[in-house]
């Protein structure tokens, strides 16, 4: 089934005092991630926000808890600003909702530009939780100048693909254990990967070995971004093929233009003003808000009608519609090469994944 309910109120709520549901989301302290965490929290989930900055994350958690309490108290959203949020998010804090117990939100230290940090975070999580029901690979990097990480990967490739690959495979045994322990659980344990229209920028000839450190950087940065996001779709398709116990899907949340992902370009001297104007115009014509983008993620995360048998490895877009990614992203031969290359590169750096 490729249709997903549009009304977020139809998605299941779990009383955390009775049914503990656990989620991890990367980059959940801002943008789409913030609103995704907010809705998971309101639906009773215990959410771990994986982030570099503890101070920013804790500040975000305080704001999130405040917003959640206001939404539950305001009923139909009598506050104009709150009403605007409720209308965008599709959540009305009616009397039933106001009586619900909310979940929990915790900080999990993780830096996607450092692979060892990911391994450490997984070990920390395993000391706190035995089960994991939902992993959302939300964090990403876009339109950055060519930079190498401490692990000697291009920054966009590592943040948007290599790190989610390693994180997911390290957490996969816990996701599978959850599926085995609770065979009738709904929604099924799942992995969500936030994709982007930008994956279309990848070359028709797809090759992760290509350095792409040339001028003009403003053009090449988008191609590097497209390659990374295409590789992410490849990963989800291969993971779905190899691990049928967990539902793995890619989600395109829409063109989110009002985040800080373009900060590098808008902060450039003189030309930064031009870039800022262009991004604002593009956002006004084509963009959607972070709240709206988060709804697409929540629908795919919580909808019990999505099944491993019918939906594993698929790609969803706005209003929960199944989409077809680019030909390169949809090519399973490329996907297999992406998997093999990534496992090899991680192994070279001492990150061995049994069975991968």
């Amino acid at each position: 089934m490729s249709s997903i309910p549009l009304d977020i109120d139809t998605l299941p709520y779990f009383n955390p005092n009775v049914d503990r549901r656990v989620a991890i989301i990367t980059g959940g302290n801002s943008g789409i991630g913030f609103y995704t965490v907010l809705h998971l929290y309101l639906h009773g989930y215990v959410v771990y926000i994986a982030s570099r900055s503890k101070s920013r994350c804790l500040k975000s958690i305080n704001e999130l808890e405040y917003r959640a309490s206001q939404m539950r108290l305001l009923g139909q959203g009598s506050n104009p600003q709150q009403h605007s949020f409720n209308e965008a998010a599709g959540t009305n804090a009616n009397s039933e909702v106001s009586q619900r117990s909310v979940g929990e939100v915790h900080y999990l230290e993780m830096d996607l530009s450092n692979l060892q940090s990911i391994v450490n975070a997984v070990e920390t999580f395993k000391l706190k939780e035995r089960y994991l029901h939902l992993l959302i690979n939300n964090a990403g990097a876009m339109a950055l100048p060519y930079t190498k990480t401490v692990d000697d990967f291009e920054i966009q490739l590592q943040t948007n693909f290599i790190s989610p690959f390693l994180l997911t495979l390290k957490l996969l045994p816990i996701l599978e254990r959850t599926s085995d322990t609770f065979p009738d659980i709904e929604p099924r344990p799942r992995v969500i990967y936030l994709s982007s229209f930008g994956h279309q920028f990848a070359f028709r000839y797809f090759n992760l070995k290509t350095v792409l450190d040339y001028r003009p950087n403003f053009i090449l940065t988008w191609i590097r971004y497209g390659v990374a996001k295409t590789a992410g779709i490849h990963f989800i398709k291969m993971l779905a093929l190899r691990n049928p116990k967990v539902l793995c899907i890619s989600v395109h949340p829409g063109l989110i233009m009002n985040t800080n992902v373009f900060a590098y370009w808008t902060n450039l001297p003189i030309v930064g003003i031009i870039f800022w104007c262009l991004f604002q115009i593009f956002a006004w014509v084509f963009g959607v808000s972070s709240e709206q983008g988060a709804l697409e993620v929540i629908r795919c995360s919580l909808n019990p009608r999505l099944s491993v048998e019918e939906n594993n490895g698929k790609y969803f877009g706005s209003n929960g519609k199944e989409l077809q990614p680019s030909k390169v992203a949809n090519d399973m031969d490329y996907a297999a090469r992406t998997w093999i290359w990534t496992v090899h590169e991680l192994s070279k750096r001492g990150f061995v994944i049994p069975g991968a």
Side-chain angles (χ1 to χ4, degrees):
M1 185 176 297
S2 58
S3 178
I4 302 178
L6 299 181
D7 187 358
I8 198 170
D9 287 327
T10 65
L11 299 175
Y13 161 79
F14 303 97
N15 186 336
N17 301 315
V18 179
D19 188 2
R20 186 178 180 86
R21 298 294 179 107
V22 182
I24 294 177
I25 177 170
T26 59
N29 56 302
S30 64
I32 294 178
F34 175 87
Y35 293 102
T36 302
V37 174
L38 177 61
H39 285 296
L40 290 174
Y41 178 68
L42 288 169
H43 280 79
Y45 270 73
V46 177
V47 186
Y48 286 82
I49 300 178
S51 174
R52 286 185 302 185
S53 173
K54 184 174 183 178
S55 60
R56 285 201 299 266
C57 191
L58 293 181
K59 181 179 178 181
S60 177
I61 290 173
N62 288 335
E63 181 183 352
L64 183 148
E65 291 175 342
Y66 173 77
R67 285 215 189 194
S69 66
Q70 291 299 301
M71 290 174 68
R72 297 169 73 232
L73 289 172
L74 287 171
Q76 296 301 315
S78 56
N79 182 309
Q81 291 182 340
Q82 189 63 51
H83 178 72
S84 175
F85 170 77
N86 286 340
E87 187 174 56
T91 300
N92 290 318
N94 53 38
S95 57
E96 179 184 350
V97 172
S98 66
Q99 299 301 315
R100 292 176 176 176
S101 296
V102 294
E104 303 171 14
V105 187
H106 302 287
Y107 169 66
L108 181 64
E109 183 178 1
M110 184 187 300
D111 182 355
L112 295 182
S113 65
N114 186 324
L115 297 179
Q116 187 58 51
S117 171
I118 295 171
V119 175
N120 295 342
V122 171
E123 294 304 311
T124 299
F125 175 79
K126 287 162 64 176
L127 294 175
K128 298 176 180 293
E129 303 287 347
R130 179 167 174 77
Y131 300 109
L132 177 62
H133 303 82
L134 176 63
L135 169 61
I136 303 177
N137 288 301
N138 163 77
M142 178 188 292
L144 295 178
Y146 187 88
T147 308
K148 287 289 191 76
T149 67
V150 295
D151 301 295
D152 199 36
F153 287 115
E154 191 272 326
I155 183 66
Q156 291 188 98
L157 183 65
Q158 177 160 335
T159 306
N160 294 308
F161 167 57
I162 301 289
S163 291
F165 185 102
L166 179 63
L167 175 63
T168 302
L169 292 186
K170 287 293 185 181
L171 289 170
L172 190 60
I174 308 175
L175 287 159
E176 291 183 329
R177 180 170 64 215
T178 305
S179 181
D180 290 337
T181 306
F182 307 102
D184 299 322
I185 195 173
E186 293 294 345
R188 302 297 300 161
R190 58 192 63 181
V191 174
I192 307 293
Y193 175 77
L194 259 69
S195 184
S196 167
F197 173 80
H199 83 272
Q200 303 275 357
F201 299 147
F203 284 126
R204 181 64 189 90
Y205 174 67
F206 180 83
N207 189 345
L208 287 173
K209 297 178 182 179
T210 304
V211 177
L212 295 178
D213 182 17
Y214 310 110
R215 293 180 182 274
N217 186 53
F218 179 69
I219 301 298
L220 269 296
T221 187
W222 294 104
I223 297 177
R224 293 194 298 268
Y225 176 74
V227 167
K229 283 299 184 179
T230 296
I233 298 173
H234 287 165
F235 169 54
I236 289 298
K237 287 183 172 295
M238 289 296 295
L239 191 65
L241 190 65
R242 296 167 60 93
N243 303 90
K245 294 181 181 180
V246 177
L247 176 61
C248 308
I249 51 181
S250 300
V251 180
H252 172 32
L255 295 173
I256 313 295
M257 301 294 293
N258 57 345
T259 66
N260 61 358
V261 292
F262 303 106
Y264 171 79
W265 298 103
T266 56
N267 289 332
L268 289 175
I270 303 176
V271 294
I273 299 175
I274 299 174
F275 285 130
W276 185 88
C277 293
L278 289 174
F279 292 146
Q280 290 297 316
I281 294 171
F282 197 86
W284 184 73
V285 177
F286 300 106
V288 300
S289 68
S290 295
E291 298 96 319
Q292 292 169 320
L295 288 188
E296 308 302 340
V297 182
I298 288 293
R299 289 177 183 127
C300 289
S301 299
L302 301 186
N303 189 344
R305 289 196 279 170
L306 291 177
S307 68
V308 170
E309 293 76 17
E310 296 186 17
N311 304 107
N312 220 1
K314 290 187 176 179
Y315 181 87
F316 290 94
S318 61
N319 295 318
K321 294 181 180 179
E322 181 185 344
L323 303 176
Q324 288 297 319
S326 69
K327 290 183 179 180
V328 176
N330 219 20
D331 190 312
M332 290 306 294
D333 182 48
Y334 278 133
R337 291 188 221 172
T338 295
W339 183 283
I340 293 170
W341 179 87
T342 310
V343 170
H344 177 69
E345 291 298 316
L346 286 173
S347 179
K348 281 169 51 178
R349 291 161 174 82
F351 299 97
V352 179
I353 304 169

